[in-house]
Amino acid sequence: MTTQLTSPPAQGSTDYHYDLILIGSGMGALTVASLMAQLKGKRVLLLERHFQAGGFTHDFKRGKFHWDVGIHYVGNMGDGEFLRKLFDLLTAGQVQWQKMPHYFEQFVYPGLQFQVPSNKQQYQDALIQRFPQEAKAIRRYFKAITNTAAAYGLFSMRRSGSRLMQVVGWLYNLFNPPRLEMTTQEYLDRHFQSPALKALLASQWGDYGLPPSLSPFALHSMIVSHYLDGGYYPVGGGGTIAAAIQGIVERKGGQLLVNREVQRVIIENGRAVGVEVRRSQGKADGVTERYYAPVIISNAGVVNTYQKLIPADYPIPFRQDLEAFCQRQPATTHVGLYLGLSQDPRSLGFQGENHWLYASLDHNQTYHQRGQWVPTDQPPQVYLSFPSLKDAQAKAHTAEILAWVDYSNFAPWRSQPWRQRDQDYQQLKQSITERLIAVVDRHYPGFANLVDYAELSTPLTNEHFTAHPNGAVYGLPFVAERFRPQNLAWTHPKTPLPGLYLTGADVCMLGIAGAMMGGLITLGNLPDGLSVPQVFASAERRRYQSPLLDRTPQPA
């Protein structure tokens, strides 16, 4: 193995090559990089282990077919909404957003179907029409999720370093606590009678990966509230986000380097001063590089940061507690089936909406079956979406099918290299592929006939490209235990190692929007950083006008 070194600064010098180094290029890192480059003129280095930038915002192609791996839809992206303003600031207005159909979600159960409209009042009214005897409870529910989402948002922003946000958040939470100890199941059981209604209200739990019995009501409220006005999709795919921000970073003298896996944080005199990186590309495969900066920010996740990147001999007071928590709380992971279609799926009545297909009203049982169905059974739940119907620039029609699984089903092949795993693994993947397609085809006859290409990813795929333990897709499990006072330090953006910070979904909230908000929280804790009010003001001042595209996708 050869080593290439970028020279460390002389003692007492401030002559660093970069102002910040970001480990990973997911949404949290992209947020920090863009805003520190744009608003502070910083030279930023992003290091990505994958051969493609963007983390779970990246996309990929196989011939004429194109899919996203993490972005399936995003809420609150209407023109003039605050999240849209922030994204426009981050990307310099280079990413456009296409709105999904008015009925953007469809929940399907045995003998029960429900379409979700892109309007809070219409959604509420449709539920009341279906369950008139629970009208009062339904109205109370919509108020509760809105208030609880706001409460959790302000609870998170109290860690942003802004005195204003601390005071506002403390006052709001004093009268409206974020309900982090109450599970979604407890709320539903307390206020509703109908099992069908409770199942419908919890149908989107796949967006956060925990069933009602495990998810905090605050988490459920954040996700449901996020989509009350419908869903949006980035025109051209999620990869446009990283591409836009990479250009911003480079214009300010920074870089985004792929095929760079950070091995460890370099510590000198009790402070993080750089990173040691292993290259994984061509002739440079195995080459070690070292980069230095006065500020190091990890977007690799809490577990990777504390268990892998910080040397074991550096004292982290909660390292063992965090490890024990992860052993008790299994990571949420899934299989993803990427399909290329031979014909327009609108021929079967699809318009670009998402479909949540369930074999039972019991979400908790569905979750517990995630490790049982993989060998030979049918999946008890799948999520179906159509990227090509959400993106006016799509060149060919595509679909995606996701289903929850348990990592243990794939662990026997963990030590085998990506794309070189044995025949048994390939046969299991083929069997899963056929069963996923069959589930959709039973609900929508003729779907299987449209499939022209199929490629399955497993938790091992996620683990290979992200290094998240057990292929986790939502980071540190978002259960009540992580929010107990003694555990809050795990996810604080300022780590116990001076000079090292955290960002991304673990800091605030899962998902693209949650990871972006995690980036904002991190910014307020950095030396010469940016407060949340400053970012909001900049987004308002620099608001870019990007007219919404026609809601009707163009034929592929």
Side-chain angles (χ1 to χ4, degrees):
M1 178 182 293
T2 58
T3 302
Q4 296 179 352
L5 305 180
T6 59
S7 300
Q11 189 170 4
S13 169
T14 58
D15 185 22
Y16 293 89
H17 185 61
Y18 296 99
D19 298 310
L20 298 93
I21 293 175
L22 286 145
I23 303 171
S25 65
M27 197 65 235
L30 293 172
T31 298
V32 173
S34 176
L35 294 180
M36 290 299 283
Q38 285 191 70
L39 305 182
K40 289 290 185 175
K42 301 295 185 182
R43 293 172 298 174
V44 179
L45 172 65
L46 297 104
L47 298 166
E48 172 57 54
R49 65 177 277 139
H50 199 330
F51 54 76
Q52 197 163 344
F56 279 113
T57 72
H58 90 265
D59 50 24
F60 73 102
K61 296 180 180 179
R62 295 288 186 264
K64 62 183 179 180
F65 301 120
H66 175 217
W67 305 269
D68 276 277
V69 299
I71 294 184
H72 298 101
Y73 60 142
V74 181
N76 300 131
M77 294 302 290
D79 191 33
E81 294 194 60
F82 89 96
L83 193 63
R84 173 65 177 272
K85 295 176 186 178
L86 290 175
F87 265 97
D88 283 350
L89 174 64
L90 294 180
T91 62
Q94 297 176 72
V95 177
Q96 295 180 316
W97 296 85
Q98 179 172 317
K99 189 162 189 181
M100 293 172 63
H102 179 65
Y103 291 101
F104 72 106
E105 301 263 53
Q106 184 153 311
F107 306 149
V108 181
Y109 297 85
L112 175 67
Q113 293 193 26
F114 186 86
Q115 291 182 311
V116 182
S118 302
N119 180 279
K120 176 182 177 180
Q121 188 62 50
Q122 291 179 21
Y123 186 9
Q124 177 178 288
D125 292 345
L127 287 170
I128 291 173
Q129 184 177 7
R130 182 73 67 93
F131 303 95
Q133 69 279 12
E134 303 210 50
K136 183 177 180 180
I138 291 171
R139 294 189 184 97
R140 184 192 300 117
Y141 167 80
F142 278 90
K143 291 179 181 178
I145 59 171
T146 301
N147 291 336
T148 304
Y152 178 74
L154 288 171
F155 171 82
S156 298
M157 288 299 157
R158 289 165 60 183
R159 301 201 294 182
S160 68
S162 165
R163 183 60 59 87
L164 174 62
M165 298 305 296
Q166 290 174 357
V167 172
V168 171
W170 181 83
L171 288 173
Y172 192 88
N173 289 158
L174 183 64
F175 299 100
N176 187 25
R179 306 190 191 198
L180 291 166
E181 293 292 334
M182 176 188 292
T183 67
T184 305
Q185 191 70 59
E186 287 170 340
Y187 181 91
L188 295 175
D189 288 344
R190 184 178 303 175
H191 296 285
F192 297 102
Q193 300 297 317
S194 168
L197 176 55
K198 287 189 280 188
L200 286 178
L201 293 175
S203 296
Q204 292 163 308
W205 70 267
D207 282 331
Y208 48 84
L210 291 171
S213 62
L214 295 178
S215 62
F217 183 63
L219 170 62
H220 173 81
S221 298
M222 288 289 290
I223 295 299
V224 176
S225 296
H226 181 64
Y227 293 113
L228 285 178
D229 292 319
Y232 293 79
Y233 192 79
V235 176
T240 58
I241 298 173
I245 293 175
Q246 181 174 355
I248 291 169
V249 167
E250 291 175 346
R251 286 192 290 274
K252 294 294 183 179
Q255 282 186 288
L256 195 164
L257 303 178
V258 297
N259 294 302
R260 271 22 179 239
E261 180 178 5
V262 175
Q263 301 289 296
R264 69 181 181 96
V265 174
I266 300 171
I267 302 174
E268 295 180 1
N269 299 319
R271 182 178 182 85
V273 297
V275 293
E276 187 171 280
V277 179
R278 178 185 178 278
R279 293 189 64 173
S280 57
Q281 182 182 31
K283 295 181 179 179
D285 189 21
V287 169
T288 296
E289 300 171 331
R290 293 176 187 158
Y291 298 94
Y292 293 85
V295 175
I296 313 297
I297 305 167
S298 175
N299 192 56
V302 165
V303 177
N304 280 334
T305 302
Y306 287 116
Q307 305 294 349
K308 297 180 181 180
L309 299 182
I310 299 177
D313 59 358
Y314 187 87
I316 299 295
F318 49 77
R319 200 193 299 256
Q320 291 183 342
D321 291 339
L322 177 59
E323 184 177 1
F325 169 83
C326 293
Q327 291 175 350
R328 289 192 301 274
Q329 302 291 342
T332 297
T333 193
H334 70 281
V335 289
L337 181 58
Y338 302 95
L339 301 174
L341 306 180
S342 60
Q343 298 178 44
D344 190 333
R346 283 172 288 202
S347 63
L348 296 180
F350 299 111
Q351 297 300 319
E353 68 283 357
N354 304 317
H355 293 251
W356 299 88
L357 310 179
Y358 292 100
S360 166
L361 294 175
D362 190 341
H363 292 300
N364 299 312
Q365 181 63 25
T366 295
Y367 176 79
H368 291 301
Q369 290 176 328
R370 71 193 186 284
Q372 300 169 11
W373 71 268
V374 171
T376 58
D377 292 338
Q378 299 298 316
Q381 171 269 332
V382 302
Y383 166 87
L384 170 68
S385 71
F386 297 90
S388 61
L389 296 185
K390 293 183 279 191
D391 179 7
Q393 291 186 1
K395 304 301 182 184
H397 284 294
T398 54
E400 295 181 28
I401 305 174
L402 307 181
W404 299 116
V405 296
D406 190 272
Y407 181 82
S408 63
N409 294 121
F410 304 90
W413 296 277
R414 182 176 189 175
S415 62
Q416 297 181 12
W418 176 61
R419 284 195 167 182
Q420 298 179 38
R421 299 190 175 100
D422 64 28
Q423 189 64 29
D424 289 342
Y425 179 74
Q426 302 305 326
Q427 289 176 352
L428 177 61
K429 287 180 62 175
Q430 181 61 33
S431 173
I432 292 172
T433 296
E434 292 171 357
R435 282 178 279 151
L436 291 175
I437 294 173
V439 167
V440 175
D441 194 66
R442 281 201 307 273
H443 285 87
Y444 307 111
F447 177 83
N449 295 332
L450 300 182
V451 176
D452 187 43
Y453 175 87
E455 181 173 338
L456 186 81
S457 71
T458 75
L460 299 182
T461 316
N462 290 336
E463 189 174 43
H464 173 78
F465 285 114
T466 69
H468 293 319
N470 296 342
V473 293
Y474 287 141
L476 194 68
F478 204 107
V479 294
E481 183 181 352
R482 67 177 269 187
F483 297 100
R484 292 171 186 166
Q486 69 270 27
N487 299 335
L488 287 176
W490 300 350
T491 56
H492 197 283
K494 189 177 290 186
T495 76
L497 173 58
L500 177 66
Y501 301 83
L502 298 174
T503 195
D506 283 350
V507 170
C508 179
M509 184 73 180
L510 49 82
I512 301 302
M516 186 201 70
M517 298 308 292
L520 298 189
I521 292 171
T522 299
L523 284 168
N525 286 272
L526 300 180
D528 193 28
L530 292 157
S531 71
V532 171
Q534 284 178 310
V535 174
F536 285 175
S538 296
E540 194 63 47
R541 286 197 304 269
R542 299 188 180 195
R543 182 180 177 190
Y544 296 90
Q545 298 298 326
S546 297
L548 288 176
L549 299 182
D550 190 302
R551 295 187 185 184
T552 304
Q554 300 300 313

